[in-house]
Amino acid sequence: MQRLAQALLAIGLVQAQSYPNTTNPTNSSSPLNDAQSPPFYPSPWIEGTGDWAEAYAKAQAFVRQLTLIEKVNLTTGTGWQSDNCVGNVGEIPRLGFKALCMQDSPLGVRFADYVSAFPAGGSVAASWDRGEFYRRGYEMGSEHRDKGVDVQLGPAVGPLGRNPKGGRNWEGFSPDPYLTGHAVAETVRGIQDAGVIACTKHYIYNEQEHFRQPGNFEDFGFVDAISSNVDDKTLHELYLWPFADAVRAGTGAIMCSYNKANNSQLCQNSYLQNYILKGELGFQGFIMSDWQAQHSGVSSAQAGLDMTMPGDTVFNSGFSYWGTNLTISVLNGTLPQWRLDDAATRIMAAYYYVGRDRDNVTTNFNSWTRDTYSYRNYYGKADYELVNQHIDVRAEHFRSIRTSAAKSTVLLKNNGALPLTGHEKWTGVFGNDAGENLYGPNGCADRGCDNGTLAMGWGSGTSDFPYLITPLEAIKRVVTDNGRALGSVLDNYAYAQIQALAAQVSVAIVFVNADSGEGYITVDGNFGDRNNLTAWGSGDALIKNVSSLCNNTIVVIHSVGPVLVNSFYDSENVTAILWAGLPGQESGNAIADVLYGRVNPGAKLPFTIGTSEEEYGPDLIYEPIAGHDSPQDNFEEGIFIDYRAFDKKNITPVYEFGFGLSYTTFSYSNVSVQKVNAGPYVPTTGLTTAAPTLGNFSRDLNDYQWPSDLTREGTFIYPYLNSTNLTEASFDPQYGLNYSWPAGSSDGSPQARIAAGGAPGGNPQLWDVLFTVTASITNNGTLPGDEVVQLYLSLGGPEDPAIQLRGFDRLSIQPNETVTFTTDILRRDVSNWEVESQNWVISKYPKKIYIGASSRKLYLEADLDLSEYQS
């Protein structure tokens, strides 16, 4: 207990080394200087809590049957391009257990044909619709299932979106943890109800692409992975919040990220993996490394890693931190058997939890080739067989993709220009973003270019388009069906042609975009992260050129996040603006549905649109300083990101978080607060069970030698030894030296339970309902429409945001109809994280709720009486 107390004290007083650089200067007096992540051991073992009991029992029964070699096979990836999927672990032929398949991405099945391209997470977040979150998850999961995928590498809630220029923000949902928490929970439920394990990623603080991994950089030499230095309160109240929702929803896997946290590599950070994720949040599934995010063997296992992906130390090296070395570490007693048993049990518990044993399709595609027959082991050129069956798994998902994309389109401005009728005399469509990529929608690997209309970002978070409906073709269909005229100029720099057409048309629709993605691809000088927040392809100039000649100019923005609109949003000639996000394969149809009134827009911004980059807070780190091993990124702003930062600084945004217009209008009235007696909050106490050891293993080293009938295929990773001398088998010249392993790392005795824990997601009393709030919402217009009603809460303390989202619902309301908005306020919603007690508390400050149409349009308010719960 003394060791635990010291660790908790350390994290409460966390401090970090300032890392000076020209683009993101840090405060040398920051309390985050010299950040260290305290150790926590042993790694908690799965106990089958929550609704995991049945899956846990089945998993234990399965693991008891396994040999040591088979357990290692289950936890170690087979190597990059060594099997059909982007990641596979070894199979267990004796039990007829196929190699588990791990496959991207958070918006569809990557590297496969006859699959759908769904709207990105950052787009569907704008729908603020739990039903859409779930349906998208279920349909993505069903496509993965029918392709033979066991684990979908998604959804993403890291990056959360600390800085809007973060390259992979669009893969997640929103910089607001409450909205993201509901989105990830429903997505996890949808994926897993379809029978596939959801892998929620990237855990945690993975907020930029620059320096996410160690590497050699021009002019700087070797630079180690960036360290995100974050205090304990910010961890709990912001970045951990949606992961808690994912764990409570039952996510079977969580992927640890590339970066460091408080100067400890994430995939071997014992505090964040052992104490926080498996201990405090009671995570019952398995922790998987991101691809090449593992940097040690025994240390990562002791720190809570359960599966290494893709298995090799670096792609196609043929060497692994685990595999043979994991076998050796158990044989020589370095790693206790119970830790390997726990890793295997967690993997199999997730397998049974989602029903993979009941509905398990053999993998019927190959990530590395579209040929029907090829090598299953693509890199090793082995196992020539039928690898692609070209099975169409899309069903009729195109319908819901179109609906979801339209429901996620935000109307930012409308001076009576919309909806269009289709009978406009002459329609002009402008911008590269309106048309086709000349290479085809999949012409750039992993969508690594910005040619044609933008419907997803780039990187591993993509899938192939089965087709892509462009805005131009969808608009042209409407116009020509009505016998009207349409002209278009798709070259943003064809100034003469743009001006000639703009001067003649009745209505001009201008399409602009802004792209980003994963850091292994650079597009137009953007190394994953965006270099700025402006529209790409001189989009501002395009809008100005058109709107200067057409007084009815409509602007449509396809983007990965906020785009600065300063140069045009207040122009009288710009009569409407829409943010259409990254809508997926039905992009053109969806925007036409909104433009022509087939869908009344009801979406709301899942982020803030400001007037400058600086308003959002600290910049990304783009350049290291020579001589420093690891860039130090101090999260000095704490919980104040996006609208919380704007509120704290009293900055008026152009379009606030939660903002969105409709073709009708709504009014709010009759707020009511009903108090619920939930009883006091009781910290969790007691001890865990002892770590179970499942089965025995042979101590005879001859039993682990390379099988005489097995030929090594390329760089495939195996668990076998090539010698009965463990020193020789390990390929480690320092094998046998006296390593100093962390105290308690092998201790399998009962452990003290964590006060803020107790069940998947944390202490279950955090989800007690304390209040039920209702309000009346009336549609005052002549059209049916959707209104996203939002509840914000003021916790009242000097270190609290002015307001923060704590409730929402999307309501469909007929003209002149009044409906009731209802939401529950949970104990968690009104609590703060207290570093000293390492638990959630309700502070003594007065609490107030606000209900409205956005974070700056709050029409109703009421006080909350929490006197009996306050400390």
Side-chain angles (χ1 to χ4, degrees):
M1 291 300 292
Q2 183 179 8
R3 176 176 54 83
L4 173 59
Q6 290 173 340
L8 298 182
L9 179 62
I11 198 66
L13 299 176
V14 64
Q15 298 192 343
Q17 174 63 46
S18 172
Y19 189 82
N21 67 85
T22 57
T23 58
N24 188 16
T26 56
N27 183 355
S28 61
S29 62
S30 168
L32 290 173
N33 289 342
D34 298 321
Q36 297 296 316
S37 189
F40 183 84
Y41 298 95
S43 183
W45 38 91
I46 180 175
E47 293 187 286
T49 55
D51 59 352
W52 286 74
E54 181 180 353
Y56 174 57
K58 289 181 178 180
Q60 281 198 316
F62 183 86
V63 174
R64 281 193 180 94
Q65 304 175 67
L66 302 183
T67 66
L68 173 57
I69 288 290
E70 290 167 339
K71 292 172 184 177
V72 172
N73 246 10
L74 187 59
T75 58
T76 303
T78 57
W80 183 242
Q81 296 183 322
S82 290
D83 211 328
N84 286 319
C85 304
V86 296
N88 289 85
V89 294
E91 60 189 2
I92 305 174
R94 182 176 65 87
L95 299 179
F97 189 81
K98 76 178 184 72
L100 295 180
C101 167
M102 274 58 68
Q103 194 72 11
D104 298 306
S105 79
L107 58 67
V109 185
R110 185 187 182 205
F111 291 156
D113 53 11
Y114 299 102
V115 298
S116 300
F118 290 83
S123 295
V124 76
S127 74
W128 294 62
D129 189 319
R130 293 177 179 85
E132 287 299 325
F133 300 155
Y134 178 87
R135 180 171 66 173
R136 173 177 173 272
Y138 184 85
E139 292 183 356
M140 287 194 303
S142 69
E143 294 197 12
H144 279 83
R145 177 197 66 213
D146 294 344
K147 282 292 187 180
V149 174
D150 297 288
V151 183
Q152 178 179 346
L153 302 178
V157 295
L160 183 64
R162 177 193 182 214
N163 186 296
K165 293 190 290 184
R168 301 183 74 178
N169 291 355
W170 57 272
E171 293 185 38
F173 297 101
S174 166
D176 180 81
Y178 185 91
L179 177 57
T180 288
H182 281 268
V184 72
E186 295 300 334
T187 305
V188 164
R189 293 186 183 104
I191 291 170
Q192 298 197 159
D193 282 354
V196 172
I197 299 168
C199 181
T200 304
K201 62 183 189 179
H202 306 83
Y203 182 77
I204 192 170
Y205 312 144
N206 184 40
E207 296 295 319
Q208 70 171 65
E209 289 301 285
H210 284 76
F211 312 114
R212 64 176 186 166
Q213 289 177 285
N216 288 299
F217 296 86
E218 186 178 354
D219 300 328
F220 296 105
F222 176 79
V223 180
D224 205 349
I226 193 169
S227 178
S228 300
N229 301 326
V230 186
D231 66 88
D232 195 32
K233 180 180 175 68
T234 300
L235 165 66
H236 283 85
E237 295 189 7
L238 187 62
Y239 295 100
L240 189 66
W241 187 284
F243 282 102
D245 284 313
V247 171
R248 183 170 171 82
T251 187
I254 285 181
M255 182 188 294
C256 56
S257 55
Y258 287 120
N259 55 288
K260 295 179 180 180
N262 295 342
N263 289 290
S264 173
Q265 198 73 52
L266 220 304
C267 289
Q268 62 188 54
N269 187 308
S270 63
Y271 179 78
L272 288 172
Q273 294 189 142
N274 287 343
Y275 182 79
I276 294 293
L277 186 52
K278 291 183 174 181
E280 184 181 314
L281 294 191
F283 175 51
Q284 299 296 291
F286 61 98
I287 300 176
M288 171 199 304
S289 75
D290 204 340
W291 271 232
Q292 298 183 113
Q294 183 189 27
H295 297 281
S296 65
V298 171
S299 295
S300 60
Q302 291 172 332
L305 188 65
D306 301 301
M307 179 188 288
T308 173
M309 280 289 125
D312 31 20
T313 52
V314 296
F315 290 166
N316 307 128
S317 69
F319 295 99
S320 177
Y321 291 112
W322 283 7
T324 295
N325 286 314
L326 192 58
T327 304
I328 292 172
S329 69
V330 176
L331 287 172
N332 68 15
T334 305
L335 187 74
Q337 181 191 337
W338 66 257
R339 175 74 272 269
L340 178 60
D341 289 347
D342 177 60
T345 304
R346 287 174 174 275
I347 294 167
M348 292 308 302
Y351 181 89
Y352 289 116
Y353 185 77
V354 304
R356 294 299 297 154
D357 56 322
R358 300 188 300 272
D359 188 2
N360 198 323
V361 176
T362 300
T363 304
N364 52 53
F365 71 100
N366 185 278
S367 296
W368 320 115
T369 178
R370 291 294 168 83
D371 294 344
T372 302
Y373 288 88
S374 186
Y375 297 104
R376 174 176 168 177
N377 184 337
Y378 185 79
Y379 187 81
K381 297 296 183 284
D383 302 324
Y384 190 86
E385 61 188 41
L386 173 66
V387 295
N388 282 309
Q389 298 180 36
H390 310 292
I391 295 174
D392 193 334
V393 299
R394 295 173 296 160
E396 292 194 349
H397 298 160
F398 72 93
R399 300 187 190 279
S400 56
I401 290 172
R402 178 173 178 169
T403 298
S404 181
K407 292 183 74 171
S408 302
T409 300
V410 184
L411 180 61
L412 297 174
K413 178 180 180 179
N414 188 20
N415 289 350
L418 297 177
L420 299 172
T421 65
H423 294 279
E424 290 74 23
K425 187 174 182 179
W426 193 345
T427 300
V429 176
F430 299 86
N432 175 268
D433 184 68
E436 296 273 4
N437 182 339
L438 295 180
Y439 304 120
N442 302 313
C444 301
D446 285 339
R447 314 299 78 77
C449 61
D450 186 41
N451 302 332
T453 194
L454 182 65
M456 66 175 72
W458 74 74
S460 64
T462 60
S463 69
D464 277 10
F465 291 103
Y467 58 80
L468 175 55
I469 303 296
T470 68
L472 176 58
E473 64 183 300
I475 293 169
K476 185 180 294 184
R477 185 179 303 121
V478 175
V479 171
T480 56
D481 283 351
N482 286 288
R484 301 296 178 173
L486 181 143
S488 60
V489 181
L490 303 186
D491 185 342
N492 291 13
Y493 303 100
Y495 302 120
Q497 291 84 352
I498 290 169
Q499 292 172 356
L501 181 61
Q504 301 175 66
V505 297
S506 311
V507 58
I509 311 175
V510 182
F511 288 85
V512 297
N513 68 38
D515 203 357
S516 72
E518 196 168 357
Y520 67 89
I521 296 174
T522 298
V523 178
D524 292 344
N526 295 266
F527 182 82
D529 304 312
R530 282 192 280 173
N531 293 334
N532 53 57
L533 295 181
T534 58
W536 287 30
S538 298
D540 286 11
L542 173 66
I543 295 168
K544 182 177 180 180
N545 288 339
V546 174
S547 62
S548 65
L549 294 168
C550 178
N551 62 4
N552 188 16
T553 298
I554 297 166
V555 175
V556 178
I557 304 169
H558 286 120
S559 75
V560 293
V563 172
L564 300 181
V565 297
N566 305 359
S567 67
F568 61 87
Y569 82 96
D570 57 355
S571 168
E572 291 183 357
N573 286 356
V574 174
T575 53
I577 304 173
L578 299 107
W579 182 78
L582 302 173
Q585 69 190 50
E586 289 286 328
S587 174
N589 286 333
I591 194 62
D593 286 343
V594 174
L595 288 171
Y596 291 98
R598 296 188 293 248
V599 171
N600 187 350
K604 306 278 188 172
L605 284 177
F607 49 71
T608 300
I609 297 180
T611 63
S612 71
E613 298 176 16
E614 293 72 25
E615 291 174 344
Y616 291 91
D619 200 2
L620 302 181
I621 294 179
Y622 289 96
E623 296 182 3
I625 293 298
H628 291 258
D629 290 335
S630 185
Q632 300 289 303
D633 196 3
N634 295 341
F635 286 33
E636 295 171 345
E637 74 285 350
I639 60 176
F640 294 95
I641 67 172
D642 199 74
Y643 71 93
R644 301 172 178 209
F646 280 75
D647 290 345
K648 182 179 182 180
K649 301 171 188 175
N650 197 28
I651 299 171
T652 300
V654 178
Y655 298 114
E656 69 270 18
F657 175 82
F659 176 81
L661 301 173
S662 170
Y663 297 153
T664 187
T665 59
F666 303 93
S667 61
Y668 289 61
S669 61
N670 302 326
V671 61
S672 174
V673 178
Q674 182 67 42
K675 193 171 185 178
V676 178
N677 184 15
Y681 177 76
V682 180
T684 298
T685 58
L687 298 175
T688 69
T689 60
T693 299
L694 306 177
N696 299 306
F697 64 92
S698 169
R699 302 285 178 173
D700 186 348
L701 297 186
N702 290 299
D703 293 339
Y704 302 97
Q705 300 307 298
W706 193 274
S708 58
D709 59 348
L710 181 64
T711 301
R712 178 164 188 163
E713 298 178 352
T715 55
F716 198 94
I717 302 300
Y718 298 90
Y720 304 108
L721 312 186
N722 61 1
S723 172
T724 54
N725 182 309
L726 293 184
T727 303
E728 294 178 4
S730 70
F731 291 99
D732 183 357
Q734 300 187 55
Y735 182 87
L737 297 181
N738 292 322
Y739 291 100
S740 178
W741 300 111
S745 58
S746 296
D747 184 2
S749 64
Q751 303 291 310
R753 297 194 183 275
I754 295 172
N763 192 311
Q765 294 164 90
L766 291 171
W767 277 265
D768 288 344
V769 176
L770 301 188
F771 302 93
T772 296
V773 179
T774 60
S776 298
I777 315 299
T778 302
N779 182 344
N780 298 315
T782 60
L783 296 173
D786 288 4
E787 175 70 337
V788 176
V789 185
Q790 301 159 50
L791 183 146
Y792 293 85
L793 173 68
S794 170
L795 291 175
E799 298 180 356
D800 293 319
I803 55 169
Q804 47 194 322
L805 183 69
R806 285 296 185 263
F808 67 89
D809 198 8
R810 181 164 179 153
L811 304 174
S812 296
I813 312 175
Q814 295 298 312
N816 299 314
E817 180 186 20
T818 298
V819 300
T820 301
F821 163 73
T822 303
T823 190
D824 291 329
I825 296 178
L826 310 180
R827 190 190 307 271
R828 180 188 190 211
D829 296 331
V830 295
S831 298
N832 288 101
W833 180 254
E834 187 178 70
V835 173
E836 294 75 16
S837 66
Q838 285 292 291
N839 217 324
W840 295 94
V841 298
I842 298 175
S843 71
K844 62 183 178 181
Y845 301 105
K847 318 289 186 222
K848 185 183 287 287
I849 60 164
Y850 303 87
I851 298 174
S854 76
S855 62
R856 294 284 177 107
K857 291 181 173 57
L858 301 171
Y859 306 121
L860 307 173
E861 61 181 68
D863 295 322
L864 297 181
D865 180 10
L866 288 156
S867 54
E868 69 266 41
Y869 302 115
Q870 292 172 322
S871 57

